[in-house]
Amino acid sequence: MSRPVRRVGQLAGRVRRGGRPGVVMLAGWLFADLVLVLALVSMADRPDPLAARPAGKPSPSASPSPSPSPTRSPAGPRSVELKPQQIKVKGGDTKDIVAQINKGTKKWPGRTAALVLTFGGSQGGTEYAHRVNSLLSEARPGMFSKKTATDDFHDLGEPANSAIIRIYFYTSSS
């Protein structure tokens, strides 16, 4: 009786009869884990690509007086403040609502709104909130543009023909 001839790598990556994985299989998993750790370490070591880069060294110039260099604004996407600003409006007249929005937002000059959540009171609050949101760009065109995201909600705890406007501004560029 002769024993069957086995090839060297036939059982290399398979689980053995005793339920333990083979040495080559364990080495493969260890290699994969080490590659993952090295990739994470190399990514963590790199600087933020969107952060403002420091200005380079000024080159020597022939003129004795240095000329002012223009300041660069940081590159990358703008972010949104986490804490919203809030105003309240009430009433049914369009001009009155526009005046209330204008008066309520005067304390934030030069700011640009990223997101506006409007909570209209009572059962028909969603429709009232939609009406208020449609008047935002009329009241403050510099603050509320066509790109400002708005959403309409209702708040059953508020009286009819009233709204709470929560404004999330972009962070300032300075």
Side-chain angles (χ1 to χ4, degrees):
M1 291 199 207
S2 66
R3 296 177 105 182
V5 178
R6 292 188 181 177
R7 294 184 181 157
V8 177
Q10 190 174 7
L11 293 176
R14 297 186 183 150
V15 177
R16 294 182 183 172
R17 289 184 194 172
R20 298 183 328 197
V23 174
V24 175
M25 187 174 159
L26 287 176
W29 278 108
L30 180 64
F31 178 74
D33 289 342
L34 287 174
V35 168
L36 180 64
V37 168
L38 288 174
L40 290 173
V41 167
S42 69
M43 284 189 291
D45 188 38
R46 294 175 182 242
D48 184 7
L50 298 178
R53 291 176 176 82
K57 293 181 180 179
S59 60
S61 62
S63 63
S65 64
S67 62
S69 62
T71 58
R72 291 180 46 197
S73 62
R78 296 189 293 183
S79 61
V80 178
E81 290 183 353
L82 297 177
K83 185 179 178 191
Q85 304 298 330
Q86 182 171 303
I87 61 171
K88 292 184 180 185
V89 296
K90 30 179 122 164
D93 183 36
T94 301
K95 289 183 180 181
D96 188 37
I97 295 171
V98 169
Q100 290 179 51
I101 294 170
N102 197 5
K103 181 181 176 186
T105 57
K106 276 190 179 179
K107 50 189 159 192
W108 306 299
R111 305 289 304 272
T112 305
L115 172 67
V116 178
L117 305 178
T118 305
F119 297 85
S122 192
Q123 293 279 338
T126 308
E127 290 82 16
Y128 187 77
H130 183 72
R131 182 171 171 222
V132 169
N133 282 337
S134 68
L135 298 172
L136 291 173
S137 60
E138 184 180 332
R140 288 265 185 201
M143 184 177 289
F144 305 105
S145 69
K146 298 284 185 197
K147 293 181 180 180
T148 303
T150 61
D151 211 347
D152 317 319
F153 300 97
H154 71 273
D155 184 357
L156 296 176
E158 292 293 319
N161 288 336
S162 68
I164 297 172
I165 305 171
R166 292 189 182 143
I167 307 166
Y168 291 84
F169 288 108
Y170 284 112
T171 55
S172 59
S173 60
S174 56

